Structures are given as C-alpha cells and as structure tokens.
Amino acid sequence: MLAARPPLIHSFRMSTTPADKAPPEARSAPAALPPPRFGELLKFTVLAMPIYVAPTLLSLIDTAAVSSVQLAALGPACGICDAISTMMVFISVGTTNAVSTAVGGGDRAAAKRAASVSVTTSFAIGCVVALLLSLSIGPLIANLVAPAAVASTVARTGGDTAAVAVTTQLWAACETYVRIRALSFPFSLALMSAQASCLGAKDSLNPTLATLTASLVNVAGDAALVLGPLAMGIAGAAWATVGCQVAAALVLLRTLRRKGMLELRQLPSADELRRFFAFGAFIVVLFVKQLVYNQAILLASILGTAAGAAHQCLFSIFRLCCTLGDVTGATAQSFLPRYYVTDEASGRVTFDAASARGTIKRIVGMTALVALCNTAITFSVPLLRPGLFTADAEVTRLLRRAAPIAAAGLLLHPPVVGMEGCLLATKDVRWLVRHYVVTGGIAVAATQLLLKVGALRSALSLDGIWLYLAAFQATRAISFVGRLIGVGKSPPKR
C-alpha cells in the first residue's frame, strides 16, 4: 500500500481506476526518485529549444524572403497555419506523457506502441486537416474576410482605387500560401508526434537534428524559389516550407525506426485511440491561445499595410521567443510523469507530488533564464536590426515603438508556460480548460468592442494591440500562481 504523502501544492489525485484497467505504464509501488540534476534539466531544455522554435522559425524565414505587400499577407497566412499547428499540440502533450510514463516504468514495449499509435494517428489527422483547409480557405476569404477588409480600406482611404487593389492582392496572396502549405500537415503532425516520442524517451538531440535539417531545407528552398531565378514569391515560400516539413519527418521517423521505437504494421485499436485522445480537451486551451493571438492579427489588419507589416515582423519575433518559453513546459511533461504510482490493492493511480517537489522547483526556476533571453531578443532585434525584415521607414518606426511593450509581455511568458506544463504533467486539464474558456470569452468581447465602437476603433493603435497581448500574459500568470499556491485545499475533480 502507498503511504500517505503531504501534497506539494494541492493533491493531484487521479480518478479511481479498477486494478485490471490501471495504466500498465504506471509504477506499481512508490520509489525514491531524486530530482534530476539542474544541469540535466538545462541540457535537455536547451537541446529541445530548436524543436519548439522550428514552426515559428519556418514562418520567420518566409517573412524575411518576400516583398512588402506579401509580407503583410504572410501575417494572416502564417497566423492560420501556425494556429492549426499549435492547436494540434495536444498530440505532443499526450505522446510525451505516454512515452515518458512507459519509459519511467521500464516498459519499452509500451513506449514503442505509444509512439507507433501516435505517429499513425497523427498522420491521419494531418490528412484530414489538409483536405479541410484546402477546401475551406478559398470560400472563407472570398465570402467573409476579403469583403470586410476591402470595406475597411474604403472607409479608411475614402475609396482610393490603389489601396483597394493592394488589399485585394494581399488576401489573394494569403489564400495562395495557405493552399500550398496545407499539403504539409500530414508530415508536420507526424513530425510533431515523432519529436514528442523522442522527448518522452529523454532524447532531445535527434529531434533537434531533424529540426536543423528542416531549417536548412527551408532556407535553401526560399533561396531557390523566392529569391532565385524562379522568383515565385509567396508561393515559393510556401513550397519551401512544405519541402522542409517532409524532409524533417522522414529523417526523424527513420531515426525512431532504427532505435526500435516505431512499428507501423498494426493499426491502433479503439482503446489505444481513446488513450491517444485523453488530452483532447487540451485543444480548447490551444484554441483559446490562438484565438487571442489571431484577434490581435485581426485588429492589426484594419490599421493599414504599414501597421500590418510591422505587426507581422514583431509577432514573428514574439512567437519565436514564446516557443523558447514553451520548452520549459515540455521539460515538465518529460520529467514529471515518472512520478505516477499505482496502488496495487485498489488500482488507484496517483501523482506522487511530494517526490516531484524538487523537480517542479528546478523546472520553474529555469524559466527566469529563458525570460531574460526572450526580453533581450525582443528588445535588440527591432531596435538594433530592423533591416532584417524591412527597409520601409514607417514599418521600422512602428516596430521600434511597440517592441518594449512586447518585451514586457514576454518577460512573463516562460514562468507561465512552466507552471502550465506542471499542471499538464499532473493532468489538471479540466481546470486549464475552464480558465481558458473564460479568458477567450473576455478576449473576444474586447476585440468586438474595439471593432464596433467607433470611438474605440479610432483610438486603436499597434501599441494598444501589444498592450492587449501583455495583459493576456499577466492574466495567465496571476491565475496559475493562484492555482499552484493559493487554491486547491481539496483535490481537483476529475
């Protein structure tokens, strides 16, 4: 029997499960698991950073390769593609948790099966996403987005023909990019699954090498298809991104197979699919995050081409720095599941919070280092090297003015994601969903007020948009600290 243990912050007890249905990966008895060394956590985190930076880096490479009008088009285009990719992160969360728990329990066969089910299912999901996105993006832009953008341009410029033509061209370029990049989703989701499987097995080196391969292929593709003799513009940037995702997926899947962690001959069973989608509710959290960020893109799009381009440049840097912070959450999800234990008598699965205390403290402690990196990057690039993105003087001016506000928001991001990763690793998903539903509702209400109330719309600026995003970070920080420290005298309901 498990001895009673004091809670870390609050009891993370899981739902009672019959003994014959207890997860086979969980340990059947408590073990004295010392926290990993800070150096081990730091090495794992640093090596994993390129994995999480990669999706945003691909958009950033495309951003640096296209012209000014197409740069503004990349804002909504990359926003759509990156939003879908981010919403699929529940695949990564569930896969890392399953593989890490199996590896921690010494069950290599269970780890291999969890990785295989995840890769197969992720590829199938990617095929569905690619089909739906290809079929819907044209009607969505033609019937909803483009007419609203043209109407806004007419109201802002008094019907200037040239401005209307630029707006029309912008949304046509956006549709082109999304249609092509949709083809990458089967491979990008399989790549996400393979990366998560490696992280769950405490291997952050091989997925990083695959990520570097993707980046090199994307740079070479942009050089040949965008800047080279073909000069395909935004379409070339999209094709380069598709090529790099395919290359990286094939490299990492081959690595998994050679390590004996992948077997694709057997289709997933219904029970395996149920376990795969156990973290499916987390998609609500991911959706709300993207909703907040895309609301900011929507607000920036009505401020004109210069503001839209400036927002895309700063948002690309912002997302790049956010992904650096996201790694702390991945570290939590890789190192904390080993603290699950199963009572042999009752089959109840619990999270051994007392043993995990030191690991959680060290993971959260690393977020301060990442926060300093985020702030330095967000300050230095727009203020010192804005020419990396654009030579337009107005875009540069807007970019420099909003950069300090973005840096303030990013200072909070790594601690927020570190705490969120701890909550995810302990499967406190329902509380996270409730929190983000409320946050998303407030964000939508605020955006609608800014769009529909004339006095507020006329006062809207790029600085105001970044204040909105900084407030989102502050709200999450306060809520998560409250959850981990001041709340939870009783176990969360499951």
Side-chain angles (χ1 to χ4, degrees):
M1 296 290 290
L2 288 175
R5 298 178 181 271
L8 170 63
I9 296 166
H10 61 267
S11 175
F12 290 111
R13 283 169 41 197
M14 306 299 293
S15 57
T16 302
T17 308
D20 60 340
K21 295 186 179 180
E25 303 89 350
R27 291 180 290 117
S28 59
L33 292 174
R37 298 188 308 274
F38 187 85
E40 180 184 355
L41 292 173
L42 185 61
K43 178 182 177 181
F44 179 89
T45 302
V46 170
L47 286 176
M49 280 184 176
I51 303 170
Y52 282 78
V53 167
T56 305
L57 183 61
L58 299 182
S59 296
L60 194 62
I61 293 170
D62 290 345
T63 295
V66 299
S67 63
S68 294
V69 173
Q70 293 181 335
L71 176 61
L74 273 177
C78 291
I80 292 169
C81 296
D82 291 347
I84 295 174
S85 295
T86 303
M87 287 176 62
M88 295 295 110
V89 168
F90 79 90
I91 293 172
S92 179
V93 172
T95 303
T96 302
N97 192 286
V99 174
S100 177
T101 304
V103 170
D107 192 341
R108 186 171 180 82
K112 176 180 179 179
R113 187 56 191 159
S116 302
V117 168
S118 178
V119 168
T120 303
T121 309
S122 299
F123 185 84
I125 293 173
C127 291
V128 174
V129 170
L131 178 62
L132 293 178
L133 186 57
S134 298
L135 294 176
S136 64
I137 188 62
L140 178 65
I141 289 179
N143 299 324
L144 183 62
V145 179
V150 169
S152 177
T153 301
V154 170
R156 189 179 67 252
T157 64
D160 181 81
T161 305
V164 171
V166 169
T167 299
T168 303
Q169 180 185 357
L170 183 154
W171 286 105
C174 173
E175 179 183 346
T176 298
Y177 183 92
V178 173
R179 280 189 182 278
I180 296 172
R181 190 163 168 180
L183 300 176
S184 71
F185 276 101
F187 299 94
S188 66
L189 296 190
L191 174 62
M192 179 186 296
S193 172
Q195 288 171 337
S197 299
C198 289
L199 292 178
K202 308 297 186 296
D203 174 15
S204 55
L205 178 60
N206 280 306
T208 294
L209 295 177
T211 297
L212 293 177
T213 299
S215 299
L216 292 174
V217 171
N218 199 27
V219 170
D222 279 342
L225 302 177
V226 181
L227 304 176
L230 295 177
M232 296 172 63
I234 198 170
W239 280 116
T241 302
V242 172
C244 78
Q245 296 279 22
V246 173
L250 294 178
V251 167
L252 194 54
L253 290 174
R254 183 171 180 267
T255 299
L256 274 180
R257 190 175 184 87
R258 292 177 67 179
K259 292 176 64 174
M261 284 285 291
L262 188 64
E263 176 56 66
L264 302 179
R265 295 179 182 178
Q266 181 182 353
L267 292 176
S269 67
D271 190 55
E272 288 171 334
L273 289 175
R274 180 186 58 78
R275 289 200 296 269
F276 175 83
F277 286 105
F279 281 84
F282 189 62
I283 198 171
V284 176
V285 173
L286 301 168
F287 173 78
V288 171
K289 289 181 183 181
Q290 288 308 308
L291 177 66
V292 171
Y293 294 134
N294 287 344
Q295 296 278 303
I297 293 173
L298 174 63
L299 293 174
S301 69
I302 70 173
L303 296 178
T305 302
H311 181 78
Q312 169 59 16
C313 292
L314 189 54
F315 188 70
S316 295
I317 300 171
F318 177 84
R319 291 294 292 159
L320 179 66
C321 292
C322 278
T323 54
L324 292 176
D326 290 344
V327 181
T328 59
T331 303
Q333 294 161 37
S334 297
F335 282 86
L336 290 179
R338 65 178 182 162
Y339 294 103
Y340 285 109
V341 293
T342 302
D343 188 320
E344 293 182 348
S346 66
R348 176 178 295 177
V349 180
T350 60
F351 182 77
D352 188 355
S355 296
R357 184 194 307 270
T359 302
I360 291 178
K361 286 182 177 179
R362 294 180 183 186
I363 289 170
V364 175
M366 285 193 307
T367 64
L369 298 176
V370 182
L372 291 176
C373 292
N374 281 352
T375 306
I377 293 171
T378 312
F379 262 119
S380 61
V381 175
L383 297 179
L384 302 178
R385 298 299 301 272
L388 289 174
F389 298 103
T390 180
D392 189 295
E394 178 63 12
V395 173
T396 300
R397 183 185 70 83
L398 293 171
L399 185 63
R400 284 175 166 170
R401 195 171 69 181
I405 305 173
L410 279 169
L411 192 62
L412 294 171
H413 181 76
V416 164
V417 176
M419 289 185 287
E420 184 178 274
C422 292
L423 293 172
L424 277 174
T426 56
K427 295 185 171 68
D428 199 5
V429 178
R430 290 187 181 180
W431 181 87
L432 284 170
V433 169
R434 290 195 298 268
H435 164 77
Y436 276 100
V437 166
V438 173
T439 304
I442 294 173
V444 170
T447 302
Q448 291 304 309
L449 286 174
L450 289 169
L451 290 173
K452 295 182 178 180
V453 178
L456 295 176
R457 186 171 61 246
S458 62
L460 182 64
S461 66
L462 191 62
D463 293 355
I465 293 172
W466 284 97
L467 283 171
Y468 161 83
L469 292 175
F472 174 62
Q473 302 286 10
T475 300
R476 290 200 293 166
I478 294 170
S479 298
F480 292 168
V481 168
R483 180 63 174 175
L484 291 175
I485 295 177
V487 183
K489 294 182 180 179
S490 60
K493 293 180 180 180
R494 298 290 174 185

